[in-house]
Amino acid sequence: MALFGTDGVRGLANGPVLTAELALTLAQATAVVLGQGRIAEARKAAGKRLTAVVARDPRVSGQFLSAAVEAGLASSGVDVLDAGTLPTPAAAFLVNDIDADFGVMISASHNPAPDNGIKIFARGGVKLPDIVEQRIERALEWDKLRPTGGGVGRVIRFSDAEDRYSLHLLASLPHRLDGLHVVLDCAHGAAAGVSPETFRNAGAKVTVIGADPDGLNINDGVGSTHLGLLAAEVVRVGAHVGIAHDGDADRCLAVDADGNVVDGDQIMAILAVAMKQRGKLYDDTLVATVMSNLGLHRAMAAHGIRVETTAVGDRYVLERMTEGGYSLGGEQSGHVIMSAYATTGDGLLTGLHLCAEMVRQRKSLAELASVMTVFPQVLINVRGVERSRAEDADVLAAVEEASALLGDTGRVLLRPSGTEPMVRVMVEASTEADARRIAERLAEVVRG
């Protein structure tokens, strides 16, 4: 089974796969593979060691995993800049900002505390393509680099990492956020320090929840996957908007002043229309995944914006954005990529720019979000069936029948899982009752 998933290596920390031993050897293999490029070879020929940025979210297992990664890199002759606890997008930014050869982020994103993961960024702070991940996986069995004496790497504290990232975010804003009251939910995660500070420095009045990480409470009832506390706090304190991050802060979801959720599709719709108005939306195109709501497509068409669709995963969104030179893309889950400022989803950047639009247009978040009508969406995971079941004749016939029934009032999507025997059935319709009825009917067909 492949070691790398859709977003690095992830699993139960100290479980069967994600061990300190794996972290060390994975770092050594990464040094071998990513040390073979033209620029890396030129640096080594000039007598310089390669440089890597390492950061982590605050879950307790990140301490031993980051130590193992740093040991693997330093033992391979790589100088390590230890950035400590920082969001994933901060690590990606720093790799590019200091022209490091690569970076490693220790995080399991929105997963619970016992899980963890290892994400690797190439030069420029971009995620690795599949072919490079495959080479690193093969390199686990190769001979490792074994420098001695002065050839081994140094581990250095990256003392101004958080400040560099925060200043970068502030510099991206077209104007300040004075007069705006924001509630931030930091998910007891990597953004607990830098997000409140940055929003305050941007001029916003800030109320904070979920900003007391203890290594075990990350994502526990808070953050972008648990919006109830944020919604209640926004209403309680009379704030204009609530912004929710996940554990590594590469996501942003929001709630309006009445506590209503504004998801990633709605955020993208707001930003896309605003960027087009300001001439910042390249080729008047937004990149989204197949899971984005039909309402997003309708809203973009009404504003003369084309939607390019990719497979699920922000890495695929970014690949398409890079190919086409597009400036905005993302996922319904809140991974939003603004390519002028970031190489990956950035929850802080997204939240800041969403708030900036509220100030610029002098509109509430509810008014801005009304640009898009969300179609009711029902998702059923049919487990215990082969992924190829989605292509069987009877299933395809049932999908065609359902699609014809919905016409232009909805849509059907069957998506096999990439990691387990399961087919996801997603139906959108004008009412939730219709969506659920059709989804359940299709799920029965898939079960056979």
Side-chain angles (χ1 to χ4, degrees):
M1 187 169 70
L3 182 64
F4 285 90
T6 56
D7 201 10
V9 179
R10 191 176 294 184
L12 178 65
N14 242 11
V17 176
L18 192 58
T19 62
E21 294 85 353
L22 174 75
L24 187 143
T25 56
L26 186 65
Q28 292 174 320
T30 299
V32 171
V33 172
L34 297 187
Q36 295 177 341
R38 177 178 55 82
I39 297 175
E41 292 291 354
R43 288 188 176 179
K44 289 189 288 187
K48 298 178 180 178
R49 288 184 295 273
L50 302 185
T51 302
V53 174
V54 176
R56 63 182 180 87
D57 71 25
R59 64 191 78 212
V60 66
S61 60
Q63 297 176 6
F64 77 77
L65 288 171
S66 62
V69 166
E70 291 176 359
L73 294 176
S75 71
S76 302
V78 178
D79 284 346
V80 176
L81 285 171
D82 183 346
T85 301
L86 274 183
T88 291
F93 162 74
L94 291 167
V95 170
N96 185 52
D97 190 50
I98 68 168
D99 194 28
D101 295 282
F102 54 93
V104 182
M105 179 70 193
I106 312 298
S107 174
S109 189
H110 60 282
N111 283 26
D115 291 342
N116 218 320
I118 301 174
K119 305 179 186 182
I120 302 169
F121 294 101
R123 178 181 300 281
V126 298
K127 292 186 177 181
L128 300 180
D130 292 343
I131 190 170
V132 176
E133 290 184 340
Q134 291 162 9
R135 287 186 64 205
I136 291 174
E137 198 163 335
R138 291 196 299 270
L140 291 170
E141 307 299 326
W142 298 353
D143 290 339
K144 305 301 186 290
L145 303 172
R146 302 289 186 188
T148 57
V152 301
R154 281 66 166 162
V155 179
I156 307 159
R157 174 66 180 155
F158 198 155
S159 58
D160 65 340
E162 185 173 297
D163 289 341
R164 280 176 179 258
Y165 175 57
S166 181
L167 289 172
H168 158 69
L169 294 172
L170 292 170
S172 76
L173 284 175
H175 50 75
R176 290 176 55 79
L177 306 182
D178 298 297
L180 201 67
H181 185 180
V182 183
V183 178
L184 295 176
D185 183 345
C186 298
H188 297 311
V194 66
S195 186
E197 176 189 10
T198 304
F199 273 83
R200 288 189 182 108
N201 287 338
K205 176 184 177 182
V206 177
T207 299
V208 185
I209 64 173
D212 298 300
D214 62 9
L216 299 173
N217 61 358
I218 188 169
N219 301 314
D220 187 8
V222 290
S224 62
T225 52
H226 304 279
L227 294 170
L229 282 178
L230 176 62
E233 186 67 5
V234 168
V235 173
R236 187 186 74 82
V237 301
H240 297 104
V241 59
I243 298 294
H245 305 307
D246 60 338
D248 70 337
D250 62 354
R251 296 189 191 193
C252 170
L253 293 181
V255 299
D256 65 22
D258 294 322
N260 299 307
V261 174
V262 176
D263 68 13
D265 284 343
Q266 293 167 289
I267 292 170
M268 285 192 291
I270 292 166
L271 295 179
V273 171
M275 289 171 67
K276 184 186 178 188
Q277 290 172 349
R278 294 185 286 115
K280 301 290 186 180
L281 188 68
Y282 179 75
D283 201 23
D284 292 342
T285 299
L286 169 69
V287 181
T289 76
V290 293
M291 293 300 290
S292 279
N293 194 270
L294 179 59
L296 177 64
H297 294 263
R298 294 282 183 85
M300 294 301 92
H303 285 84
I305 297 172
R306 189 165 59 92
V307 179
E308 288 257 346
T309 304
T310 75
V312 173
D314 63 335
R315 64 186 298 173
Y316 302 114
V317 173
L318 181 59
E319 285 176 6
R320 186 67 196 100
M321 290 176 67
T322 302
E323 290 168 1
Y326 301 125
S327 48
L328 182 66
E331 298 186 282
Q332 189 180 63
S333 60
H335 288 116
V336 178
I337 304 168
M338 304 178 73
S339 62
Y341 312 110
T343 58
T344 186
D346 189 328
L348 280 72
L349 180 73
T350 303
L352 286 164
H353 281 259
L354 180 65
C355 290
E357 280 308 309
M358 293 175 64
V359 174
R360 183 180 75 88
Q361 298 188 42
R362 298 182 180 179
K363 290 183 177 179
S364 69
L365 181 56
E367 289 174 304
L368 293 179
S370 67
V371 69
M372 171 184 158
T373 299
V374 178
F375 277 60
Q377 187 180 83
V378 172
L379 177 66
I380 298 177
N381 293 324
V382 183
R383 302 181 186 275
V385 298
E386 291 302 318
R387 298 191 294 271
S388 61
R389 177 68 177 140
E391 300 298 324
D392 286 356
D394 61 329
V395 173
L396 293 175
V399 169
E400 185 176 350
E401 180 183 348
S403 298
L405 179 65
L406 289 167
D408 62 359
T409 66
R411 67 176 182 134
V412 175
L413 176 68
L414 262 63
R415 189 168 67 89
S417 168
T419 58
E420 57 182 311
M422 181 173 71
V423 174
R424 294 183 173 90
V425 177
M426 191 273 285
V427 176
E428 290 170 345
S430 55
T431 70
E432 181 162 359
D434 287 342
R436 184 161 300 281
R437 184 179 68 255
I438 293 171
E440 289 174 352
R441 185 187 308 158
L442 286 173
E444 285 302 317
V445 175
V446 172
R447 290 187 188 99

